[in-house]
Amino acid sequence: LDNVTDGDNGTVTLLRMLVTPANGATGDEATFNLLKQELKRSKWLTPSTMQLVYEKQPWLGVRRGEIITAMCTIMHPIMSKQNAIAFSKGNILETVTKDRYVNHAAAIADLFLDRFNPKEPLSDRDLEERSEGLKAIIDNEVEDTPAQELFNKMIDIVKHTLKTNIYMNNRYALGLRLDPKIMVSEGETPRDTPFGIIFAHGRRFDGYHVRFRDIARGGMRLVTPSTPEQFSLESAHQYDECYGLAYAQQLKNKDIPEGGSKAVVLIDTVGMSTKGRDFVMRKSVKAFTDTILDLVVDTDETKEEIVDFVGKKEVLYLGPDEQVIPEDIDWVIKRAGQR
């Protein structure tokens, strides 16, 4: 181990490892390239994803693991309205990653990857055919009704995702541009449908950006619950909080061309020191906003790695709100200019 000073960032620890192929594997260049890629991604994986892909179900691989944990987070505020206990965040992840069910979660993650494969994206027709095939298999092989509902909702998330940065190797977090219809719960009282939703799933944070018009203005709020119980409650209400704040901004902006929007980033800082908490908050702001940039900027990398089913360029405006500091805004402005 070597520790190298990195100025205001603290220190960098260099860990050297000798890696050799196991169980007769050839250890070719493609294998080591994948290893390097997944080691790099591990810095930005949330603990639940790391536990899933490095301990519980290592055969899944990092990409599929990220997709599964992201979908579980998206499902939480939707499904918990039907049954808060059965569809708690922990129960959702536990259910879809059980040994006897995880193959179905993996198949849905593969469907997502094929849909947005930049080399040969899945067509609408093929997506529908494969979705119906997966639903038939799930109906036949999954006897647990809550599990069936979760897997069917995961398939719906694939069908309602319009854009993702899953194939970008240098991304901070996993980002999905969602069709807002996916966030409607069964039996929910009808309400105005947003124009667009972006969801970001990263290390120790999940964030939503909701807007009610194509061009909309609103701030970014950071939420940092102090206990695990409070964090779980905030997770269930995060989307509705973001929706409500964006809708209130929409009403405030009724006399100007720009509509209303809001971003709410839920950050897990439970049990951290003040210094550690601040560090994670600043990193989460950077990861969240850079993920949004992945989905809205046109660069050689995004054109090559991102499949776009939105069909038009999108422009987002972010301002400061609770717990966002001037240094965050300075970084966002600078980063947007670079990209």
Side-chain angles (χ1 to χ4, degrees):
L1 288 176
D2 290 316
N3 289 324
V4 180
T5 301
D6 189 25
D8 293 338
N9 294 320
T11 59
V12 176
T13 299
L14 302 178
L15 174 63
R16 295 178 178 86
M17 294 180 290
L18 178 62
V19 181
T20 57
N23 301 323
T26 58
D28 56 18
E29 184 177 357
T31 301
F32 280 100
N33 285 339
L34 178 61
L35 176 62
K36 288 189 291 184
Q37 177 184 319
E38 296 203 342
L39 283 172
K40 185 177 180 180
R41 282 293 319 140
S42 66
K43 176 182 178 181
W44 301 107
L45 298 179
T46 203
S48 62
T49 307
M50 294 188 73
Q51 184 179 30
L52 176 62
V53 302
Y54 293 136
E55 297 178 23
K56 191 175 180 180
Q57 306 288 355
W59 60 271
L60 280 171
V62 170
R63 273 182 178 163
R64 289 197 292 193
E66 276 190 281
I67 293 166
I68 291 168
T69 56
M71 288 186 175
C72 288
T73 301
I74 294 171
M75 288 192 290
H76 187 206
I78 305 170
M79 306 299 291
S80 63
K81 292 177 182 177
Q82 300 177 29
N83 188 324
I85 297 175
F87 296 126
S88 68
K89 191 172 184 180
N91 283 345
I92 289 173
L93 181 60
E94 177 65 26
T95 298
V96 303
T97 59
K98 285 181 179 178
D99 288 343
R100 69 178 186 271
Y101 291 152
V102 69
N103 61 306
H104 301 298
I108 295 169
D110 286 338
L111 178 68
F112 184 92
L113 287 167
D114 290 345
R115 172 64 164 170
F116 293 97
N117 186 335
K119 295 181 179 178
E120 191 176 354
L122 206 61
S123 68
D124 291 348
R125 179 178 178 179
D126 289 341
L127 173 64
E128 191 63 33
E129 288 181 358
R130 283 183 53 179
S131 296
E132 292 305 311
L134 285 174
K135 287 184 177 182
I137 292 171
I138 290 164
D139 185 59
N140 184 55
E141 297 183 0
V142 179
E143 69 279 3
D144 184 46
T145 300
Q148 284 186 2
E149 293 179 9
L150 291 172
F151 288 127
N152 286 330
K153 181 60 69 173
M154 290 174 71
I155 293 171
D156 288 342
I157 291 173
V158 177
K159 296 168 71 173
H160 284 79
T161 300
L162 304 176
K163 204 173 185 180
T164 179
N165 65 348
I166 185 67
Y167 281 97
M168 293 183 67
N169 291 326
N170 295 319
R171 57 187 169 85
Y172 278 86
L174 175 59
L176 283 68
R177 167 59 165 91
L178 297 170
D179 179 336
K181 297 184 184 68
I182 190 59
M183 301 305 298
V184 177
S185 301
E186 184 177 342
E188 184 177 25
T189 302
R191 57 182 180 177
D192 290 355
T193 302
F195 180 88
I197 297 172
I198 288 179
F199 170 75
H201 177 65
R203 184 169 181 81
R204 292 192 172 275
F205 83 90
D206 293 290
Y208 287 95
H209 182 276
V210 176
R211 73 190 200 275
F212 278 88
R213 288 184 193 164
D214 188 4
I215 305 298
R217 295 181 182 271
M220 173 170 53
R221 173 176 296 189
L222 310 184
V223 180
T224 53
S226 57
T227 67
E229 295 77 16
Q230 186 182 1
F231 186 88
S232 181
L233 288 173
E234 291 289 351
S235 175
H237 302 144
Q238 182 187 2
Y239 172 72
D240 282 342
E241 178 184 3
C242 191
Y243 176 99
L245 292 168
Y247 188 71
Q249 191 67 43
Q250 170 75 3
L251 296 178
K252 290 179 184 178
N253 293 2
K254 62 184 178 64
D255 295 324
I256 61 176
E258 295 88 357
S261 68
K262 186 66 73 171
V264 174
V265 184
L266 179 61
I267 306 172
D268 183 5
T269 60
V270 175
M272 292 185 176
S273 65
T274 301
K275 184 177 181 180
R277 178 175 175 274
D278 183 70
F279 177 81
V280 171
M281 289 170 67
R282 307 288 71 84
K283 284 289 187 182
S284 297
V285 169
K286 293 176 181 178
F288 178 70
T289 54
D290 205 59
T291 301
I292 289 178
L293 288 169
D294 286 344
L295 300 178
V296 300
V297 300
D298 289 324
T299 66
D300 291 341
E301 183 181 19
T302 60
K303 290 175 182 177
E304 183 177 338
E305 303 295 349
I306 290 181
V307 176
D308 181 9
F309 292 107
V310 176
K312 61 178 293 185
K313 184 174 177 59
E314 298 191 288
V315 179
L316 273 62
Y317 293 92
L318 281 179
D321 203 332
E322 292 181 9
Q323 301 199 83
V324 174
I325 62 176
E327 287 79 0
D328 293 332
I329 299 301
D330 290 343
W331 186 91
V332 171
I333 294 170
K334 181 178 180 182
R335 183 61 173 162
Q338 290 172 343
R339 299 198 61 184

